[in-house]
Amino acid sequence: MKERSDHSQLSLNITPRHAYAPENFVLHDGVREILAQQTMLARNGDFRIAYVTGLPRSGKTHLSIRLADELARQGCFPRVLEGREFAEFLESSRFDFTREDALLVDDAQNYFAALKPGQSGPFVACIERLRLARAGIVFFSDRDISAFEFDEHVRSRVIPGLGLAIGAPSEGDMTEIIRAVAKQHGMRLSEKKLGFILKRVGRNIGSVEDYFQRLIHLSQVLGRPIKFPLMSGVV
């Protein structure tokens, strides 16, 4: 029987689409509690600080964008900054925060790794202004704070936000994660292909992304459509 045609067979010149769109985020078991907690705290309207850790490619950036979307739906004004952008923000901002403001700092390790003892002034000023305004800030980092050399003025303000870590998806989440990653790469997979990949990748987002990157690269190099023979060769 001839295999049903689908978008996943269009193998050449595939470019990512819908990457990191909030609606493409899979709310899996490893992030569900973090998202629920942070949106609940925002509704309460009190000052909040959180430091979320996750392995590289565990979905921190996508989580920050989904959280920003959730906060915006609640009437907040979220701002997503990369760690290096946060350093520039601290130097240039007057910190005119309101209760509806929320800063989401992705790749926060890029900021904290460059922050040396004695350089805490702008950071402390920002946190205290957020506290007075009853606003919020969430850091997303691939390292625990023990990896950094910043001083106690910074450490004492970050410590209350510790304890949140992105966990692994459950087995039941993996089908939707594979489907979402395929969509980011411009592919729509049949149920048969979803099941095929599910049996061959690890239970983490990085493993799924690695598989699709190898698959697309092999398809482009060989000039072959993404069908089962090519998919088997990637494993």
Side-chain angles (χ1 to χ4, degrees):
M1 180 180 294
K2 185 177 179 180
E3 186 178 16
R4 181 179 64 84
S5 175
D6 61 31
H7 288 232
S8 64
Q9 296 178 15
L10 302 178
S11 60
L12 301 182
N13 299 318
I14 296 174
T15 55
R17 291 180 288 181
H18 310 295
Y20 299 133
E23 64 273 12
N24 200 39
F25 181 80
V26 177
L27 189 59
H28 62 79
D29 280 353
V31 297
R32 185 173 286 108
E33 184 176 347
I34 296 173
L35 189 66
Q37 182 201 77
Q38 293 306 305
T39 52
M40 178 192 69
L41 291 175
R43 285 196 297 270
N44 291 343
D46 294 323
F47 167 72
R48 57 209 178 275
I49 184 169
Y51 188 93
V52 180
T53 57
L55 295 173
R57 303 174 68 195
S58 60
K60 296 184 295 297
T61 297
H62 208 168
L63 175 59
S64 70
I65 292 172
R66 174 60 185 269
L67 177 57
D69 184 66
E70 292 288 338
L71 295 177
R73 291 173 185 272
Q74 294 185 21
C76 295
F77 302 108
R79 179 170 181 174
V80 180
L81 298 165
E82 196 274 336
R84 294 185 181 89
E85 292 178 317
F86 182 60
E88 297 173 2
F89 172 81
L90 293 181
E91 294 296 334
S92 62
S93 177
R94 296 180 179 178
F95 308 138
D96 295 326
F97 298 123
T98 69
R99 185 173 175 176
E100 290 76 26
D101 284 315
L103 299 179
L104 310 179
V105 184
D106 188 32
D107 286 329
Q109 70 276 356
N110 293 334
Y111 168 73
F112 288 121
L115 189 62
K116 303 303 179 184
Q119 299 177 340
S120 60
F123 178 84
V124 171
C126 177
I127 299 302
E128 293 310 309
R129 290 300 295 270
L130 286 167
R131 190 188 309 278
L132 288 173
R134 300 172 68 185
I137 185 167
V138 182
F139 298 101
F140 298 86
S141 173
D142 64 10
R143 289 170 237 172
D144 185 78
I145 65 168
S146 60
F148 307 120
E149 299 178 0
F150 49 59
D151 59 36
E152 287 303 314
H153 297 293
V154 175
R155 191 176 307 275
S156 64
R157 285 162 176 83
V158 175
I159 283 176
L162 300 182
L164 298 177
I166 295 176
S170 69
E171 291 289 346
D173 294 322
M174 289 306 299
T175 296
E176 285 307 309
I177 288 173
I178 293 170
R179 196 192 310 275
V181 174
K183 185 178 179 181
Q184 289 174 21
H185 289 287
M187 289 183 280
R188 186 179 65 213
L189 299 176
S190 65
E191 293 300 316
K192 189 174 182 181
K193 287 181 178 177
L194 279 169
F196 182 89
I197 296 171
L198 180 62
K199 294 177 181 178
R200 290 164 172 80
V201 296
R203 206 187 80 187
N204 60 81
I205 295 172
S207 177
V208 176
E209 290 180 338
D210 283 342
Y211 178 85
F212 279 102
Q213 288 174 4
R214 295 195 304 270
L215 179 63
I216 291 170
H217 175 72
L218 190 61
S219 173
Q220 293 173 335
V221 168
L222 300 179
R224 292 171 54 187
I226 297 177
K227 296 184 179 180
F228 287 110
L230 189 69
M231 293 169 65
S232 298
V234 173
V235 176

